[in-house]
Structure formats: structure tokens, C-alpha cells
Amino acid sequence: MGQGFFFTFEGIDGCGKSTQLARVAEALRARGADILITREPGGPPISEKIREILISPDNKRMYPETECLLYLAARAQHMREIIKPAIDKGQTVLCDRFEQATFAYQGYGRGLDIDFLKNTNNFAASGISPHITFIFDIPVELSQQRLSKIGKGKDRLESEGAQFFQKVRDGYLAAANSSPNKIKLLDGAKGRDELTEEILGIISSYIKNL
Ligand code: TMP
């Protein structure tokens, strides 16, 4: 069996990426594809423990440098324990967030140096990057409305203000602009069915025989 594919789903909080990932996975499985779903920060137990530290509202005093290294530490474990073995087995990996979140949140949002982030991300991810990244773009106002509708307590990152999310959104848009072949910018305000079809069309052009 050949190498599998690696697709990632990104966007600001409340953009709808997790809903789309679940829908796309279901549709691909129904067509017989061997799909592995995972998320960042998270995946294997060590990375899920790091996730708890990262999103806990108790950790408001965390410095951007600490935050950045924890996201990358979680990624290093995730890549080696879950993502790379799955790709090597020929599975198609759908991951909720990955490297673009680090560039947008820690780079644009927190103001950390993008070149440093790219180099350390490369180290953490052992040089593996997604075949295609889907970015679900929505205005910050819509993101804030959706987050307050969900009703659950906001996590540490979700508690950031609109100004922070505007910077993160700008980061995602800049990334999509500079790598149009690898990063597909989607209108996250579109209807669910239309978005799912759009993504399936792109993925099907990679995975033959679907
Ligand atoms: P989630 O809400 O999509 O599960 O992601 C948890 C939070 O982590 C979300 O607010 C975005 C943030 N994040 C970063 O800041 N940098 C990263 O590298 C990743 C993977 C996520």
C-alpha cells in the first residue's frame, strides 16, 4: 500500500472546521476510504495532557513562549505516535488544526517570530506538512457570536478579545494568499452542505477511486 494523505482543517475559533471534519470523514468512510481523525493540540495521551494545560482557564499567566513550546511539544509526540504511522500505513489523516494554527495564533496573534516558529515546527513535525490545509474563513464578529451561542465556558484561548482574533484571522488569510496550492481558503459562512461538497471535491482529486 502506498503512502496516505494528510489533510488539515483550520480557522479561528467558531469557524465550523470541526463540524466539517466530521461530515467529510463520514462521507469518505461511506465511500470506503480508510480515514483517521485526530486533532491538535491532542491525539495521543501525552499530547492530550498538554492540551489540558494549554486550554485551562486556570493558566491565564502562561507566557507566549511557554504556550508556543507546549503546542510544539504536543505536535512532536502526535506526529511520531499517530500521524506518521497512519500515513505510512496508507491511511488518510484528517487533523483538526496543525501548523497553520501555530503560525496564525502564536505568530500573528502573540507576535512571536514567524521564522523561528517555522523552524521549530519543522523540528516538531519532523519535516512533514499537510498535502492540503483547509482554512474556514469567517469574520471575527461571527466567530464571537457562535462562541457565545455554544454556551459552554470559554477556554483560555477562546477568552481572548476580538482584537486578538482579528490578528489570527489576518495570519490565516496571509498564509492562504502566499500558498494557494497547498492552502484552500473556504468561506466558513457558507451553508454546511455546500462546504462539505467543496471539500470532498478537493480531497477526491487526491484519493483516487473514491
Ligand atoms: P480547538 O478549540 O480547535 O480544539 O483548539 C484549541 C485552541 O488551541 C484554539 O483556541 C487554537 C489554539 N491553538 C494554537 O494557539 N496554536 C496551535 O498550534 C494549535 C494547534 C492550536
Side-chain angles (χ1 to χ4, degrees):
M1 188 182 289
Q3 288 277 300
F5 291 99
F6 180 26
F7 300 105
T8 55
F9 290 56
E10 298 261 11
I12 60 175
D13 294 77
C15 69
K17 64 184 169 44
S18 310
T19 306
Q20 284 300 327
L21 191 151
R23 291 168 64 103
V24 167
E26 196 186 329
L28 290 173
R29 281 182 176 143
R31 297 180 193 180
D34 186 2
I35 302 292
L36 181 113
I37 294 179
T38 187
R39 68 171 179 181
E40 288 224 339
I46 292 172
S47 308
E48 287 290 336
K49 281 190 186 154
I50 298 174
R51 177 187 177 92
E52 283 169 29
I53 299 171
L54 277 164
I55 68 174
S56 168
D58 294 343
N59 293 332
K60 288 231 157 57
R61 290 171 56 207
M62 189 181 295
Y63 288 98
E65 292 80 0
T66 314
E67 179 182 286
C68 149
L69 293 170
L70 285 174
Y71 278 114
L72 293 170
R75 182 162 307 145
Q77 187 68 30
H78 190 199
M79 176 52 74
R80 288 160 183 78
E81 196 174 334
I82 307 255
I83 300 175
K84 186 168 186 310
I87 297 173
D88 288 346
K89 269 198 292 183
Q91 286 186 295
T92 293
V93 177
L94 305 183
C95 187
D96 192 331
R97 295 196 186 281
F98 196 67
E99 59 184 17
Q100 293 303 331
T102 310
F103 307 146
Y105 281 78
Q106 281 64 57
Y108 280 73
R110 302 291 193 213
L112 298 182
D113 183 68
I114 299 279
D115 286 334
F116 170 78
L117 293 176
K118 289 196 169 160
N119 288 332
T120 32
N121 173 67
N122 209 33
F123 170 73
S126 65
I128 295 175
S129 56
H131 289 95
I132 292 289
T133 293
F134 297 101
I135 293 180
F136 298 80
D137 181 52
I138 54 165
V140 172
E141 305 76 65
L142 180 56
S143 143
Q144 306 260 301
Q145 274 169 27
R146 284 182 178 174
L147 288 180
S148 50
K149 253 199 215 150
I150 295 169
K152 71 171 174 66
K154 286 186 179 173
D155 69 31
R156 192 177 62 87
L157 277 289
E158 287 167 352
S159 311
E160 290 288 341
Q163 236 186 336
F164 175 79
F165 285 109
Q166 190 55 56
K167 289 190 224 162
V168 175
R169 183 187 185 202
D170 291 344
Y172 276 127
L173 292 175
N177 226 359
S178 66
S179 310
N181 293 330
K182 287 251 173 192
I183 301 180
K184 303 293 175 199
L185 190 66
L186 306 169
D187 178 358
K190 270 191 188 166
R192 282 183 181 182
D193 292 343
E194 200 182 337
L195 269 172
T196 306
E197 283 311 312
E198 205 172 330
I199 298 162
L200 285 172
I202 296 170
I203 291 184
S204 308
S205 68
Y206 279 82
I207 317 176
K208 302 294 171 210
N209 309 319
L210 277 181

